[in-house]
Amino acid sequence: MGGVTALDLRLPHADLAGSWRAARPRPAGTHLDSAACSRQSNRVLEAVAHHARHEAELGGYVAEATAGDLLQQGRSVIGGLVGMAAADVVFVESAQAALAALLAAWPLGPAARVACLPGEYAPNAAMLRAAGLALEPLAVDGDGRADLAALERSLAADPPRFVHLTQLASHRGVVQPAAEVAALCRAHGVPLVLDAAQSLGHVDVDLGADVVYSTSRKWLAGPRGVGLLCVRPAVAAQLVPALPAPADLPPLRALESGEAHVAGRIGLVLAVGEHLAAGPQRVRERLAALGRAGRQVLDGAGGWRVVEPVDEPTATTTLRPPDGVDVVATRARLLTEHGIVTTAAGPERAPGEMTGPVLRVSPHVDGTVEELEALAAAL
Ligand SMILES: *Cc1c(COP(=O)(O)O)cnc(C)c1O
């Protein structure tokens, strides 16, 4: 591990960095890409392998039945992270699959309108449109943050069928005032659907949304190919699944995919357990501090400029390139010449907000200032 710098000393919960790193395979390079996919722990990897072996020994369905209690505990702890109950949680394959399952089962009526950020994640916007919804942009400030006064006015004057809010974007580390949006939506009887793909395990998601969906592989550091959908009973009661759940299961279970990577779901349950053991509040504090340190270190490096306000309480930093520098080529150069993993995000990711490509930097709790300084030097 690297040397301790003055900035490192200001990062809280240094024990988290050491335990997170010690719990994982040694990285081949510098992983600053948790917003795409975090590194799984040895225990998660072993649990996934163990279940796959069980399937070969016992039979896939027998093995799944033996894991029934663990999976139910998982629904319960995931529900706890978003302020819902086990019966309100189902496993799916990804965040996108969660939104698809929700929209397919929710009769929204002809010409229904949904309010969402102008910087909505393009695949989400496409799926909302494909479901026949008319998208209405929420008013935002210069950072792309929802304008609460404008939201309140529009909820009162002409409420949409629901509000869809991506709490933390894929292309920008700006966190939305989701608790305030949830309170306003509740006061006006408008359901709030929260995309928590970038926020679960990163910032607080227990805010009173009616639907929360997310993914395993990002900040929770679970396996790929697993997602989750959480729906409060008031919205669940409106859903009309193509095939109802068996009578002995909660009705929402109709939306849980039956054929699935069960081993991956078990891995996610363990990853959530590790997140709880680390202390979600401590994880958030360290990630926020890493984001702040990263923005200080990276802004201006090689002419790259940080997009987010320096104190934004997230670990995700995005950088605009200097004139004439190609972001995709830079991302490739960082990987091949320096072993630094980042993401190049093009404007097609959020065409309503992005004016050009950005380089996204997203360390997990084991990130160090030394790594960020190495990135700055490489830029
Ligand atoms: C990654 C991401 C998604 C999609 O998640 P998948 O699990 O890949 O379907 C949705 N919304 C946001 C904001 C994301 O970052």
Side-chain angles (χ1 to χ4, degrees):
M1 288 189 56
V4 175
T5 71
L7 274 167
D8 259 323
L9 293 175
R10 280 192 261 133
L11 294 178
H13 314 308
D15 61 305
L16 277 184
S19 57
W20 213 84
R21 202 162 271 234
R24 286 165 165 72
R26 200 183 165 79
T30 302
H31 191 91
L32 300 176
D33 206 21
S34 306
C37 187
S38 284
R39 302 197 306 115
Q40 296 171 61
S41 74
N42 291 319
R43 275 190 66 217
V44 168
L45 293 166
E46 280 154 21
V48 172
H50 184 78
H51 185 80
R53 173 166 287 277
H54 247 177
E55 289 181 342
E57 289 166 351
L58 304 178
Y61 290 85
V62 180
E64 183 171 357
T66 66
D69 287 347
L70 181 66
L71 292 168
Q72 184 59 6
Q73 273 175 34
R75 292 185 194 93
S76 176
V77 290
I78 290 165
L81 286 177
V82 304
M84 297 193 206
D88 307 332
V89 178
V90 296
F91 293 108
V92 290
E93 276 55 55
S94 64
Q96 198 165 351
L99 181 58
L102 175 75
L103 293 173
W106 201 0
L108 292 162
R113 294 172 296 122
V114 56
C116 61
L117 296 165
E120 184 55 64
Y121 183 60
N124 286 350
M127 287 175 65
L128 293 167
R129 282 194 200 94
L133 292 157
L135 271 53
E136 290 186 347
L138 295 164
V140 292
D141 66 13
D143 291 324
R145 218 183 303 263
D147 175 335
L148 295 169
L151 173 65
E152 180 156 35
R153 282 193 299 275
S154 77
L155 288 174
D158 190 15
R161 182 64 182 80
F162 66 94
V163 172
H164 180 280
L165 184 71
T166 295
Q167 187 181 6
L168 180 53
S170 149
H171 66 281
R172 187 174 291 185
V174 167
V175 65
Q176 295 292 331
E180 291 81 357
V181 171
L184 288 174
C185 286
R186 174 133 321 166
H188 290 87
V190 175
L192 173 64
V193 176
L194 195 71
D195 175 341
Q198 289 294 348
S199 53
L200 194 61
H202 190 174
V203 298
D204 189 10
V205 177
D206 180 4
L207 328 140
D210 301 282
V211 176
V212 177
Y213 65 93
S214 189
T215 196
S216 152
R217 73 183 183 283
K218 295 178 180 171
W219 297 94
L220 290 174
R224 295 192 64 178
V226 182
L228 51 101
L229 172 63
C230 314
V231 185
R232 260 182 227 290
V235 171
Q238 299 176 25
L239 303 181
V240 186
L243 199 64
D248 57 333
L249 292 178
L252 191 70
R253 210 64 83 71
L255 270 55
E256 183 162 290
S257 37
E259 174 44 25
H261 181 39
V262 176
R265 292 177 179 178
I266 290 167
L268 169 59
V269 173
L270 265 83
V272 172
E274 292 182 343
H275 176 67
L276 294 177
Q281 181 61 29
R282 282 163 27 95
V283 169
R284 284 173 215 147
E285 287 166 3
R286 184 161 176 92
L287 291 175
L290 266 164
R292 190 181 318 115
R295 293 178 199 115
Q296 286 168 355
V297 166
L298 293 167
D299 191 39
W304 292 74
R305 300 317 304 226
V306 166
V307 174
E308 295 76 18
V310 67
D311 283 331
E312 200 62 31
T314 69
T316 301
T317 296
T318 59
L319 298 162
R320 287 199 185 98
D323 280 350
V325 173
D326 184 73
V327 176
V328 172
T330 302
R331 185 255 173 202
R333 178 175 70 76
L334 291 169
L335 183 61
T336 55
E337 292 178 20
H338 302 272
I340 301 175
V341 188
T342 59
T343 287
E348 67 284 351
R349 201 175 278 234
E353 183 164 273
M354 296 176 78
T355 53
V358 293
L359 186 72
R360 186 182 64 191
V361 179
S362 52
H364 216 301
V365 290
D366 63 333
T368 65
V369 173
E370 192 189 45
E371 289 175 343
L372 296 162
E373 285 171 343
L375 170 60
L379 286 174

